[in-house]
Amino acid sequence: MLRIVTFVLLLIALRGYSQPIGSARQIALNNYVEYANRSAQEVASLFNKITDYYSQLKIDQAGKGYVTPFTCADQLDDYYFNAAISKSSVLGNAATLNAKAKDLRHVAEKLDEKCKALDTYYKLKDYQQDKFKQAMVLLSEMQAALAEYRKTQTALANEIETTYRRLQPPVLGNPYHTADQMMKQEISRERAFLDAWNFNLNEKVHTGWPVERLQRSILETDEAVTLFTQAKPSTRYPASGMYGSFVESLGSMLGIKRSGLDGYNFEAKKSDKHSNQVYLDLINYFNGSLISSQNMFVQYAVSDDFYGVKAINYVPYFEIRSAIEEVNAEVKPFHDVLRTPLKISSQATAIPKPVFSALGNYVDFINEALRQIRYLHDVLRNYNASAAYYKDLTSYKGHGGLTYDHANFQIPLSLYQTLVTQSSALPAAYRKSINEQAEVLLNILKEMDQLSIALTLDAKERQYEKDNLKKAFEILVRNAALFEIADAKKEQLYLDVRAVFECYAVPNPTGSWALSNKALLTLVDEDKVQLFRAKAFFKGDSSSLPSSALVDPSMRDVIAKEFANMKGIERYGRSNGLCPYTPYEDIAETSRTLSEKIKKIKSARSSSYEGPYHDFIYLYNDIVDDYNKFCELAKVDLLKNIRQPELYYVKYPERKPPQREKQIPNEIVAEKGEIQDDNQGVQPGGKVIHDTVKVTDIIRIETRRQDTVYIEKHDTVYVGQPGESLMSMEGYATNNLVFLLDVSGSMNTGQKLPLLKKSMLLLVNMLRPEDNVSLLVYSGKAKVVLQPTSGQEREKIKKAIENLRSEGATDGNAGIRLAYKVADGNYIRGGNNRIVLATDGEFPISEETWNEVSKLSKEDIYLSVFNFGKSSAAAQNLEKLAAAGKGNYEFITRDNSDVKLIHEAKGKRKK
């Protein structure tokens, strides 16, 4: 609140401000900044050398393999230092500034000396005599010198800022002063957060991470993004553009922090690699985007008679930590909370923006929770199949050990944190109940994670051999119960959130957005009713046979009234990811397919593969994805819908046909009372496990429409053959994949390059030894950052992906030409020779590029395009480019990035 008041005061308009600093003094002060930043680059380069060197040093100390020498060829640059000293006479405190600049230079020279001493040590091969002892001494001395450097850098930065404030105090009412001070305050806060932890050279051990500090920082940065967006001082272009870039950079850092928090899972806690990478990613964005935007703002603002001082880059720091922080493997059953029924009151006004945003957080949280559950379904199903086989064995001799790994499972802590924080905007009458429900769902996910950790340890320590998989199957049964409970809980939470949303008046009920949404939502709701009936039917309840009787009229109504419903809404075309007509039409078409499948149902076992419910859930979730896309594109506030999970049951060695479950009352019976059902529509129910219930207990949940049943789990995303595992490459041609990635400055937002990197890292886990991957980037000059590499070298590929950074301008044409050269040079006869261009489309495509793409596509080298941008013109060009390259064009979102990338790797089946 104090920060908001401060910024508001800065925006108070006063007249008659002056600029006493002038151009000459500004240049003199910024000369010191330029020197400090040049020096910081040199030290950061040394830091990178040390981090790369340390892992090799540990190998050398173990006496394994060839000793790799340490090189220190860099020379300190004198130009910027001399420029700062020589032009300081216009400043009244030149002697003080020069002394502090010389102090910084002295420490930099000390670091350089240590670097060169290590270089000489290797050239003399002294490590053969002392077994690398002197190398460790020099590293320790570099660590101390680096700490001294950061302290000296701060002293110089403080003196520069003090001098500037003395020459030019902040002027109230000047929008440039306001924007400059806002940015500097935010830079200072982010810098303090980075100081909260350091890079651990000994990253193979897990020494912990300041997670609570990270959570606070997420809230602070989120608040800052909102504040900057609302305050936006009225500066002129191009300075105003740099203010916008600063806000985008803050958003990117916020995205890194959130993904860092969520990604700090069991797998990440095996080492300090995750925290190290988040640390470096944040510094990269801090220097390359946040500081860069502020400095460019200062540079451009000179044309408007504002003479500001630039900011100094952050220098990373390293330690060598070895005190291991153990991961708590205790399984703590989630604690259920009896739901407080909501008493919904109709509102005569439209929903306020903060309330709408808060409600949307719950939907996002539910959908992310379901995404994680879908992943866990797949992992458990695969493990369960192996466990059922092992349980029948009379001896484990000659059989490989069971393994379990849920490395990609993440609890959406950052979304939950945002949800709770922004829920203050909700009416108090609703807030407590829906927050408690969200917390229960979160805690169910936590227990799922803890159970998976227990299963991992059980497999690793081969405990299953001692108890004949007794504990393993208890965990599987408990997970099955949790899946059922989570299914019911998320449905109730969504119903309550939707009830709150719908109690507000529709602003323009006869408007096109309202009419089209009403028609779509009616269809989606009816699809959901039939989906729930299909759940019960495939379980064996013949009385719950789904029907298309109500789906078809709603589907026809959507199609027949499209032009009336969408009147006045602009059509961009199907090739444009921003066209609302595309999801509108696709919802009706997918519903038609769902209806046709309903009509063909004859028995619960009428599918050619296990789990006939798979087709239904796939189609319905497609419908929800399109509906949510429509909501995102709408010019009014529309609440998104939630996806539905696949169903799961435990496989045992003796396969028996599933028995129809005995129905129980609709009310959820808990050990400590009953939950009353006061809302309309589909309501979840069933017995809930509390802390005192054993893990072997079976949960049965029924509803008025038999919402939840046990069905075999299959992937909810269809790629390839029906029933096929999403993560399997079996049956697909050998890959020659060339990834051409736009790493220009426009790709630095959280929904672009970081999202792509995450999907690529997932794909790497699927690669086979015969697959080859190349990695090319273009930002100014196109270059190869990873030569064709076998899928067997996963760590090498992952490291290249993780090291990708956004910077510079765009030259996509040069990148495309280079990509074809690499693809052609590594051509695989009969293979999937494919270039995947990932870009936001902000570059013109030359005639030469068009011709080359068309030519080489005829030679079995295809070009697919992933578009992360929002420009309709760029979208059309990129779709044409993909068509010319005989590849796929995809508009990428957070929800589809993983699947679309896997689809490219499965671009060709074996003959």
Side-chain angles (χ1 to χ4, degrees):
M1 186 65 186
L2 180 60
R3 294 171 61 208
I4 296 175
V5 172
T6 302
F7 288 142
V8 169
L9 289 175
L10 286 170
L11 292 171
I12 297 175
L14 295 177
R15 297 180 179 178
Y17 57 84
S18 60
Q19 294 282 5
I21 184 173
S23 177
R25 290 175 174 173
Q26 183 206 29
I27 292 172
L29 281 175
N30 279 328
N31 281 339
Y32 288 103
V33 176
E34 296 291 351
Y35 162 64
N37 279 339
R38 177 62 181 180
S39 179
Q41 290 175 11
E42 294 168 342
V43 173
S45 177
L46 173 58
F47 173 87
N48 293 333
K49 285 181 181 294
I50 293 171
T51 55
D52 290 340
Y53 162 72
Y54 185 81
S55 58
Q56 181 60 43
L57 173 61
K58 302 306 290 182
I59 296 173
D60 295 344
Q61 287 178 322
K64 299 178 181 178
Y66 173 75
V67 174
T68 304
F70 179 86
T71 58
C72 189
D74 297 340
Q75 296 292 328
L76 298 181
D77 194 315
D78 291 328
Y79 174 80
Y80 292 96
F81 175 74
N82 292 332
I85 299 297
S86 63
K87 297 180 180 180
S88 62
S89 58
V90 296
L91 300 170
N93 63 334
T96 303
L97 284 166
N98 286 346
K100 293 189 181 299
K102 290 176 181 177
D103 289 342
L104 188 65
R105 176 69 173 187
H106 174 70
V107 183
E109 289 173 342
K110 185 187 299 185
L111 276 166
D112 186 56
E113 289 170 3
K114 301 300 179 185
C115 176
K116 289 173 179 173
L118 189 57
D119 186 318
T120 303
Y121 172 78
Y122 271 86
K123 287 176 180 175
L124 294 173
K125 296 189 176 182
D126 286 348
Y127 54 81
Q128 294 177 344
Q129 283 72 45
D130 70 353
K131 305 300 182 185
F132 302 97
K133 289 183 179 179
Q134 183 61 18
M136 293 301 295
V137 170
L138 288 170
L139 274 181
S140 178
E141 291 175 349
M142 285 185 195
Q143 180 183 350
L146 185 56
E148 184 182 357
Y149 180 90
R150 281 158 51 105
K151 183 178 179 180
T152 309
Q153 183 199 55
T154 301
L156 175 60
N158 290 341
E159 187 63 29
I160 292 171
E161 186 64 22
T162 299
T163 303
Y164 176 69
R165 291 304 175 197
R166 185 170 63 250
L167 294 172
Q168 178 59 76
V171 180
L172 296 180
N174 183 339
Y176 293 91
H177 278 281
T178 300
D180 182 58
Q181 185 161 334
M182 288 174 65
M183 286 190 279
K184 284 185 176 178
Q185 287 183 4
E186 195 57 35
I187 286 172
S188 177
R189 191 185 59 76
E190 293 291 348
R191 191 184 296 272
F193 168 67
L194 288 172
D195 285 337
W197 90 91
N198 304 302
F199 190 97
N200 183 19
L201 289 183
N202 188 25
E203 72 174 8
K204 290 187 177 181
V205 300
H206 175 240
T207 63
W209 199 25
V211 175
E212 292 183 1
R213 181 68 185 88
L214 174 63
Q215 290 177 311
R216 291 197 301 272
S217 181
I218 288 173
L219 296 177
E220 291 166 357
T221 305
D222 192 21
E223 177 192 356
V225 170
T226 302
L227 184 61
F228 272 75
T229 303
Q230 294 174 346
K232 195 175 182 180
S234 57
T235 56
R236 293 190 300 180
Y237 185 83
S240 60
M242 291 302 99
Y243 180 91
S245 295
F246 187 91
V247 179
E248 287 184 6
S249 300
L250 269 183
S252 296
M253 292 190 70
L254 179 60
I256 292 172
K257 291 176 184 179
R258 284 175 170 166
S259 63
L261 176 63
D262 294 343
Y264 191 51
N265 57 9
F266 178 65
E267 179 68 18
K269 292 175 183 176
K270 294 178 181 178
S271 70
D272 275 354
K273 183 177 180 180
H274 175 75
S275 58
N276 278 351
Q277 190 59 53
V278 175
Y279 179 68
L280 294 181
D281 285 346
L282 284 173
I283 292 174
N284 176 60
Y285 275 91
F286 181 82
N287 290 335
S289 297
L290 209 64
I291 295 287
S292 177
S293 296
Q294 194 272 340
N295 288 352
M296 291 300 293
F297 174 86
V298 169
Q299 181 175 321
Y300 289 144
V302 170
S303 61
D304 292 305
D305 295 328
F306 172 74
Y307 301 102
V309 173
K310 298 179 179 179
I312 295 177
N313 285 344
Y314 189 85
V315 174
Y317 182 69
F318 70 84
E319 295 177 318
I320 303 176
R321 302 191 297 270
S322 57
I324 298 176
E325 181 175 295
E326 298 291 343
V327 178
N328 184 7
E330 178 187 2
V331 178
K332 182 180 179 181
F334 84 95
H335 175 67
D336 196 16
V337 176
L338 299 182
R339 169 181 165 271
T340 303
L342 300 185
K343 297 180 180 179
I344 305 294
S345 300
S346 297
Q347 304 294 316
T349 59
I351 188 168
K353 283 289 183 183
V355 174
F356 173 72
S357 178
L359 292 176
N361 290 334
Y362 293 92
V363 176
D364 290 342
F365 173 71
I366 293 171
N367 279 330
E368 181 58 25
L370 291 172
R371 193 170 74 88
Q372 298 302 328
I373 288 174
R374 182 188 70 192
Y375 165 74
L376 204 56
H377 272 173
D378 196 49
V379 173
L380 285 167
R381 182 195 65 192
N382 292 336
Y383 173 82
N384 192 176
S386 298
Y389 168 75
Y390 269 68
K391 194 167 178 62
D392 262 353
L393 297 176
T394 56
S395 172
Y396 296 107
K397 188 176 181 180
H399 296 274
L402 275 174
T403 61
Y404 182 83
D405 185 1
H406 71 307
N408 293 322
F409 182 77
Q410 297 181 2
I411 300 172
L413 292 172
S414 63
L415 277 174
Y416 176 75
Q417 183 183 27
T418 302
L419 172 157
V420 172
T421 302
Q422 296 186 5
S423 69
S424 59
L426 297 177
Y430 311 137
R431 188 188 315 136
K432 183 176 183 294
S433 176
I434 58 179
N435 275 354
E436 286 177 344
Q437 293 179 64
E439 184 179 12
V440 169
L441 186 56
L442 178 77
N443 289 333
I444 292 173
L445 292 175
K446 288 182 178 180
E447 186 182 344
M448 289 178 183
D449 183 44
Q450 292 161 0
L451 288 168
S452 281
I453 293 172
L455 211 52
T456 300
L457 298 177
D458 183 79
K460 181 180 179 181
E461 298 165 4
R462 302 177 80 102
Q463 291 294 324
Y464 59 86
E465 294 184 0
K466 301 175 183 178
D467 67 358
N468 192 28
L469 290 117
K470 180 177 182 294
K471 180 178 180 181
F473 272 91
E474 285 181 348
I475 292 174
L476 288 170
V477 168
R478 175 59 173 167
N479 268 303
L482 291 175
F483 290 148
E484 294 284 4
I485 298 171
D487 192 16
K489 294 291 184 181
K490 60 83 182 165
E491 199 64 35
Q492 182 64 71
L493 175 57
Y494 168 70
L495 289 171
D496 282 353
V497 168
R498 180 167 164 179
V500 174
F501 172 77
E502 292 178 346
C503 80
Y504 289 91
V506 178
N508 182 14
T510 59
S512 295
W513 288 111
L515 291 175
S516 54
N517 177 66
K518 183 178 180 180
L520 290 177
L521 190 55
T522 299
L523 177 56
V524 173
D525 283 345
E526 190 52 48
D527 287 336
K528 185 176 184 178
V529 170
Q530 301 312 317
L531 180 79
F532 284 172
R533 292 184 66 83
K535 283 184 182 181
F537 177 76
F538 284 126
K539 184 180 176 182
D541 183 0
S542 58
S543 67
S544 187
L545 182 68
S547 169
S548 61
L550 294 179
V551 172
D552 287 347
S554 298
M555 178 265 294
R556 291 180 60 84
D557 183 71
V558 168
I559 296 173
K561 296 180 180 178
E562 175 180 357
F563 298 107
N565 289 341
M566 302 285 282
K567 183 178 180 180
I569 298 176
E570 187 174 358
R571 182 191 288 270
Y572 299 108
R574 182 162 286 272
S575 64
N576 192 314
L578 302 178
C579 183
Y581 284 82
T582 300
Y584 183 98
E585 293 167 354
D586 287 350
I587 288 170
E589 287 305 312
T590 309
S591 294
R592 187 201 301 274
T593 305
L594 179 63
S595 174
E596 292 170 352
K597 192 162 286 292
I598 288 172
K599 293 171 185 174
K600 295 178 182 178
I601 292 179
K602 294 180 180 179
S603 74
R605 297 173 184 82
S606 59
S607 175
S608 60
Y609 61 95
E610 287 188 301
Y613 181 66
H614 170 83
D615 285 347
F616 289 84
I617 200 69
Y618 163 70
L619 291 169
Y620 180 76
N621 284 337
D622 241 12
I623 290 168
V624 170
D625 289 345
D626 283 327
Y627 178 75
N628 290 348
K629 183 64 177 176
F630 182 84
C631 292
E632 290 172 358
L633 297 175
K635 305 300 182 183
V636 299
D637 294 334
L638 300 178
L639 186 71
K640 292 191 288 187
N641 217 308
I642 61 170
R643 303 177 104 243
Q644 293 297 324
E646 285 272 9
L647 298 178
Y648 176 89
Y649 73 95
V650 179
K651 283 185 178 180
Y652 292 94
E654 294 182 6
R655 295 176 178 244
K656 296 179 180 179
Q659 300 296 315
R660 179 174 174 181
E661 298 295 331
K662 181 179 180 181
Q663 294 191 7
I664 61 174
N666 176 67
E667 293 78 16
I668 299 178
V669 182
E671 292 178 346
K672 299 179 180 179
E674 291 188 351
I675 299 177
Q676 298 300 319
D677 180 10
D678 65 310
N679 283 343
Q680 298 80 21
V682 182
Q683 302 296 331
K687 182 183 286 185
V688 177
I689 285 186
H690 288 267
D691 295 4
T692 57
V693 181
K694 297 179 181 178
V695 297
T696 52
D697 289 352
I698 302 296
I699 305 302
R700 305 301 185 199
I701 299 177
E702 296 285 347
T703 70
R704 293 193 183 104
R705 293 170 176 170
Q706 289 82 36
D707 292 352
T708 309
V709 294
Y710 289 115
I711 293 290
E712 169 66 74
K713 161 72 181 67
H714 282 280
D715 297 301
T716 57
V717 180
Y718 173 79
V719 176
Q721 301 300 308
E724 173 187 302
S725 173
L726 175 66
M727 303 298 289
S728 172
M729 290 297 298
E730 183 178 354
Y732 288 91
T734 302
N735 282 303
N736 168 27
L737 295 174
V738 179
F739 292 105
L740 175 59
L741 311 179
D742 179 355
V743 292
S744 60
S746 61
M747 285 286 288
N748 72 358
T749 63
Q751 295 302 308
K752 294 183 181 180
L753 184 59
L755 178 64
L756 177 63
K757 287 168 63 176
K758 177 177 175 292
S759 298
M760 291 178 69
L761 290 170
L762 175 65
L763 177 64
V764 171
N765 294 324
M766 296 173 54
L767 296 178
R768 302 157 297 186
E770 62 267 30
D771 294 324
N772 279 296
V773 173
S774 308
L775 198 58
L776 287 70
V777 299
Y778 64 93
S779 172
K781 182 179 180 181
K783 60 182 178 181
V784 180
V785 295
L786 181 69
Q787 294 289 347
T789 303
S790 165
Q792 193 169 11
E793 299 186 70
R794 290 183 179 178
E795 291 308 313
K796 182 178 179 181
I797 300 172
K798 287 182 177 181
K799 185 174 182 180
I801 294 170
E802 290 167 348
N803 288 337
L804 293 172
R805 301 288 184 268
S806 296
E807 58 183 358
T810 303
D811 185 4
N813 293 284
I816 292 172
R817 292 193 295 272
L818 181 59
Y820 272 107
K821 182 178 179 181
V822 173
D824 188 50
N826 195 47
Y827 180 82
I828 299 174
R829 185 178 297 275
N832 180 32
N833 299 283
R834 189 173 299 269
I835 298 167
V836 179
L837 166 63
T839 180
D840 56 7
E842 301 300 330
F843 70 92
I845 303 171
S846 68
E847 184 176 352
E848 180 184 1
T849 300
W850 286 113
N851 293 336
E852 185 165 5
V853 170
S854 298
K855 175 187 174 183
L856 290 173
S857 67
K858 298 174 184 177
E859 299 179 15
D860 198 31
I861 299 178
Y862 305 117
L863 172 68
S864 292
V865 178
F866 280 18
N867 182 12
F868 290 82
K870 296 183 178 180
S871 167
S872 58
Q876 292 175 2
N877 276 340
L878 291 174
E879 185 180 26
K880 290 177 183 177
L881 184 65
K886 295 184 179 179
N888 302 304
Y889 168 81
E890 305 290 356
F891 181 78
I892 301 300
T893 66
R894 185 172 183 241
D895 292 332
N896 71 11
S897 59
D898 293 349
V899 174
K900 297 300 183 184
L901 197 58
I902 292 172
H903 183 76
E904 297 304 317
K906 294 184 173 185
K908 193 172 185 178
R909 294 193 68 86
K910 288 181 179 178
K911 293 183 179 179

